[in-house]
């Protein structure tokens, strides 16, 4: 009997979560309905627990009445765990295999989609600078979360993480010393300002916004893992449409195009580091 | 059959313990197995190759959005949480550490329990911290089965100890009896 009761209350919770996401979409225009359910449910239930609410239903009326509560949920739904030169092997591969091809272009357009607080954008800026490609590059760094984008623009690095970043930088095949690229101040470090020169930070939502110019490289690492399969396919299509022929799509090292309909439109350039190349039209 | 999957969590001493459990399972073991072993974020996948060598079932690193299949063991990649999604696909995440761990056993167990409910069998092996105890409680709450390695036989007894305290577990067994119990439950 108790079992049955649990069964019913748990199913209701799933329904309430769907309604909450619907309410957020209708009221604020941010669409989380296509996100991975495991991910979004974990986030919602954790917030519910932190607030001591008895049901997700209570969160619905709260989010409708209170914009700041929506901001809190939006922060919950976006993952902002990132590092400088995260997956150093990826940067090493990019430097040795992709950069020689990028050199053949007269100018470069690079899009970091879902750039979070900017660490990976600045990592790419450093790499391009060391390879003498920075001056002919234009980097677009976008995220749907404006607060996070503000942090990215400031380029503040956590002092605690500098040791790890320095190690990553060395493993990534860096040609200089990582300390050349930041200015340390008391308890934080700030990115060397010249690295910001060619980066445009902009608000862009992968779920609801469209194509973003014609790019030579699109980087979207560990963003689509939070999407459900249908949304993942849709966004991969957006990247396909935003790349020039022969342009590169870089995903997180555990992501792949394997389970999307777009696999056949890309050549796998690096299996290990998930670098794909848009096929030239026959 | 009512059971849909097995989840296993372990930390210190886990590689040898997993080896013993997986070695005991036949090639036609009828369920998928999802495994979280706490491991260095810079680990190179040795554990996957090692366990695949000595097991009759297939052992592989879990891929993002992969559909789980019977007779295959999926190991969480280093530095990622592994979750089971509503459509029984694997979802990876780089979300913050949980109980100081990424991958975290609780994250896998809680999400899998949520999707598979009474169809889930959870196993906690040797380990030196309390990760997994919330996950075991979540499995029991939804009517699944909980098996814990007897702390007295574990290389590190803390993790099984916390799991036993966290819920009314079904079996506390020595390592060599865990594989046999799994076979008995699913009736190979």
């Amino acid at each position: 009997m108790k079992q049955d009761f649990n069964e019913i209350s748990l199913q209701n919770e799933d329904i309430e979560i769907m309604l909450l996401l619907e309410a957020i979409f209708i009221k604020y225009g941010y669409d989380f309905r296509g996100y991975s359910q495991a991910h979004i449910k974990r986030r919602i239930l954790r917030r519910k627990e932190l607030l001591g609410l008895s049901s997700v239903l209570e969160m619905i009326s709260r989010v409708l009445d209170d914009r700041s509560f929506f901001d809190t949920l939006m922060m919950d739904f976006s993952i902002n765990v990132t590092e400088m030169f995260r997956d150093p092997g990826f940067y090493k591969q990019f430097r040795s295999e992709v950069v020689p091809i990028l050199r053949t272009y007269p100018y470069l357009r690079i899009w970091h989609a879902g750039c979070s607080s900017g660490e990976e954008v600045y990592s790419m800026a450093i790499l391009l600078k060391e390879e003498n490609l920075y001056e002919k590059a234009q980097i677009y760094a976008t995220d749907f979360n404006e607060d996070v984008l503000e942090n990215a623009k400031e380029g503040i690095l956590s002092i605690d993480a500098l040791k790890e970043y320095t190690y990553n930088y060395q493993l990534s095949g860096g040609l200089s010393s990582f300390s050349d690229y930041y200015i340390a101040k008391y308890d934080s470090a700030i990115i060397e300002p010249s690295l910001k020169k060619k980066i445009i930070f902009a608000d862009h939502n992968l779920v609801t916004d469209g194509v973003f110019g014609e790019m030579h490289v699109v980087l979207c690492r560990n963003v689509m893992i939070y999407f459900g399969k249908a949304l993942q396919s849709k966004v991969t299509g957006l990247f396909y449409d935003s790349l020039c022929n022969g342009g590169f799509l870089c995903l997180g090292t555990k992501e792949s195009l394997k389970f999307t309909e777009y696999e056949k439109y890309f050549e796998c350039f690096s299996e290990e580091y998930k670098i794909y190349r848009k096929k030239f039209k026959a | 059959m009512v059971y849909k999957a097995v989840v296993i969590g372990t930390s210190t001493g886990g590689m040898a313990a997993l080896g013993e459990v997986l070695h005991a399972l036949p090639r036609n073991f009828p369920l998928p197995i999802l495994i979280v072993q706490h491991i260095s974020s810079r680990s190179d996948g040795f554990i996957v190759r090692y366990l695949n060598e000595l097991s009759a079932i297939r052992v592989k690193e879990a891929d993002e959005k992969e559909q789980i299949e019977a007779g295959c063991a999926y190991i969480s990649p280093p530095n990622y949480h592994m979750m089971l999604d509503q459509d029984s696909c694997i979802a990876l995440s780089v979300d913050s550490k949980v109980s100081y761990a990424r991958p975290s056993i609780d994250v896998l167990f809680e999400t899998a329990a949520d999707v598979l409910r009474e169809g889930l069998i959870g196993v906690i092996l040797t380990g030196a911290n309390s990760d997994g105890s919330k996950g075991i409680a979540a499995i029991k709450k939804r009517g699944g089965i909980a098996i814990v390695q007897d702390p007295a036989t574990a290389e590190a007894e803390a993790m099984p100890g916390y799991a036993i305290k966290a819920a009314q577990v079904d079996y506390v067994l020595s390592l060599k009896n865990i594989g046999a119990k799994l076979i008995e439950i699913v009736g190979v």
Side-chain angles (χ1 to χ4, degrees):
Chain A
M1 207 49 210
K2 193 147 185 287
Q3 197 81 28
D4 286 343
F5 175 75
N6 268 341
E7 189 72 29
I8 291 162
S9 73
L10 284 165
Q11 282 179 354
N12 281 353
E13 190 163 71
D14 289 328
I15 297 167
E16 290 170 17
I17 286 170
M18 289 165 72
L19 294 174
L20 174 64
L21 299 181
E22 202 69 40
I24 288 172
F25 179 57
I26 295 167
K27 175 95 184 187
Y28 299 103
Y30 286 87
D31 191 355
F32 296 100
R33 297 171 302 174
Y35 273 50
S36 144
Q37 288 180 58
H39 168 64
I40 213 88
K41 186 169 182 179
R42 241 191 116 68
R43 287 309 180 110
I44 290 171
L45 295 186
R46 189 156 79 193
R47 179 56 57 189
K48 188 193 97 178
E49 213 173 289
L50 281 172
L51 294 172
L53 301 177
S54 60
S55 75
V56 178
L57 216 47
E58 288 180 53
M59 296 174 84
I60 299 177
S61 57
R62 195 150 170 178
V63 82
L64 291 175
D65 291 337
D66 181 0
R67 164 89 206 192
S68 71
F69 184 57
F70 164 69
D71 293 335
T72 304
L73 285 178
M74 184 140 116
M75 222 24 142
D76 287 343
F77 294 164
S78 60
I79 302 293
N80 296 305
V81 179
T82 178
E83 297 166 21
M84 294 291 291
F85 293 98
R86 170 193 213 141
D87 304 320
F90 161 74
Y91 289 93
K92 197 166 185 169
Q93 184 91 0
F94 191 93
R95 196 188 278 268
S96 67
E97 304 301 321
V98 179
V99 158
I101 296 168
L102 298 185
R103 273 192 212 293
T104 65
Y105 295 116
Y107 63 91
L108 281 179
R109 288 156 65 89
I110 296 176
W111 177 20
H112 267 271
C115 70
S116 185
S117 43
E119 280 79 351
E120 295 194 45
V121 185
Y122 291 121
S123 305
M124 184 53 71
I126 290 170
L127 189 157
L128 294 173
K129 202 156 209 177
E130 292 185 350
E131 297 297 332
N132 293 317
L133 287 173
Y134 189 69
E135 289 306 319
K136 69 171 182 178
Q138 180 64 60
I139 303 174
Y140 301 89
T142 65
D143 204 279
F144 76 93
N145 186 329
E146 288 171 51
D147 294 335
V148 166
L149 216 47
E150 280 307 312
N151 293 342
K153 277 183 209 167
E154 287 177 25
I156 291 170
L157 305 176
S158 125
I159 283 274
D160 299 336
L162 286 179
K163 198 173 150 196
E164 176 81 4
Y165 293 172
T166 303
Y167 186 53
N168 280 354
Y169 170 76
Q170 286 161 352
L171 290 177
S172 80
L175 302 178
S176 176
S177 160
F178 185 63
S179 59
D180 294 350
Y181 300 115
Y182 64 84
I183 300 157
K185 274 187 193 162
Y186 306 105
D187 55 351
S188 70
I190 188 155
I191 279 288
E192 216 281 307
S194 71
L195 286 168
K196 295 182 185 174
K197 198 174 78 181
K198 307 286 262 177
I199 305 174
I200 293 172
F201 290 96
D203 177 15
H204 180 276
N205 190 329
L206 289 170
V207 185
T208 45
D209 293 338
V211 170
F212 202 81
E214 202 178 30
M215 300 290 152
H216 299 96
V217 182
V218 172
L219 298 108
C220 185
R221 306 181 66 230
N222 297 316
V223 175
M224 289 197 288
I225 55 177
Y226 299 103
F227 297 169
K229 273 186 182 168
L231 182 55
Q232 213 169 48
S233 270
K234 182 184 149 191
V235 174
T236 308
L238 177 65
F239 293 149
Y240 179 81
D241 292 337
S242 302
L243 278 167
C244 65
N245 285 330
F248 293 93
L249 174 62
C250 306
L251 303 178
T253 54
K254 299 301 169 195
E255 298 179 273
S256 84
L257 295 180
K258 222 188 309 183
F259 306 107
T260 74
E261 62 201 277
Y262 283 91
E263 188 181 12
K264 56 182 178 291
Y265 301 118
F266 287 90
E267 167 205 336
C268 186
F269 188 80
S270 164
E271 170 68 36
E272 189 177 6
Y273 293 106
K274 300 303 182 310
I275 304 173
Y276 295 88
R277 198 165 186 205
K278 178 171 168 175
K279 285 183 181 167
F280 289 89
K281 291 216 176 71
Chain B
M1 184 174 44
V2 29
Y3 299 107
K4 303 275 192 291
V6 178
V7 288
I8 304 179
T10 181
S11 177
T12 313
M15 193 156 78
L18 283 169
E20 185 152 355
V21 173
L22 295 184
H23 182 68
L25 304 179
R27 183 184 291 274
N28 63 344
F29 188 74
L31 299 182
I33 301 173
L34 294 106
I35 299 170
V36 165
Q37 151 88 71
H38 290 168
I39 203 164
S40 150
S41 65
R42 298 192 194 276
S43 156
D44 69 348
F46 170 75
I47 182 170
V48 177
R49 295 194 296 277
Y50 168 81
L51 292 174
N52 190 45
E53 279 292 301
L54 61 73
S55 310
I57 61 167
R58 184 170 169 237
V59 181
K60 71 182 291 289
E61 189 176 270
D63 279 323
E64 159 67 6
K65 296 283 183 279
E66 180 171 22
Q67 189 88 42
I68 57 172
E69 284 171 11
C72 186
Y74 303 85
I75 304 207
S76 183
N79 217 11
Y80 286 80
H81 291 301
M82 175 164 69
M83 305 183 283
L84 190 66
D85 219 330
Q86 229 68 28
D87 50 4
S88 283
C89 286
I90 285 168
L92 300 176
S93 127
V94 290
D95 209 345
S96 313
K97 293 182 178 182
V98 174
S99 317
Y100 309 101
R102 187 172 56 218
S104 145
I105 301 166
D106 284 337
V107 170
L108 170 65
F109 281 27
E110 286 170 2
T111 54
D114 191 52
V115 174
L116 301 178
R117 301 163 169 280
E118 71 280 7
L120 187 65
I121 303 168
V123 182
I124 291 287
L125 304 176
T126 168
N129 55 65
S130 66
D131 189 19
S133 58
K134 283 191 196 133
I136 279 288
I139 290 172
K140 284 314 298 171
K141 192 178 151 202
R142 286 167 183 76
I145 288 193
I147 302 174
V148 178
Q149 182 179 3
D150 181 354
T153 72
E155 185 174 325
E157 61 182 22
M159 191 178 276
Y162 281 114
I164 290 166
K165 271 186 226 139
Q168 194 71 42
V169 305
D170 300 278
Y171 305 99
V172 176
L173 300 170
S174 72
L175 201 50
K176 66 174 188 297
N177 291 325
I178 290 178
K181 179 55 76 180
L182 286 172
I183 292 167
E184 182 196 315
I185 293 171
V186 303
V188 184

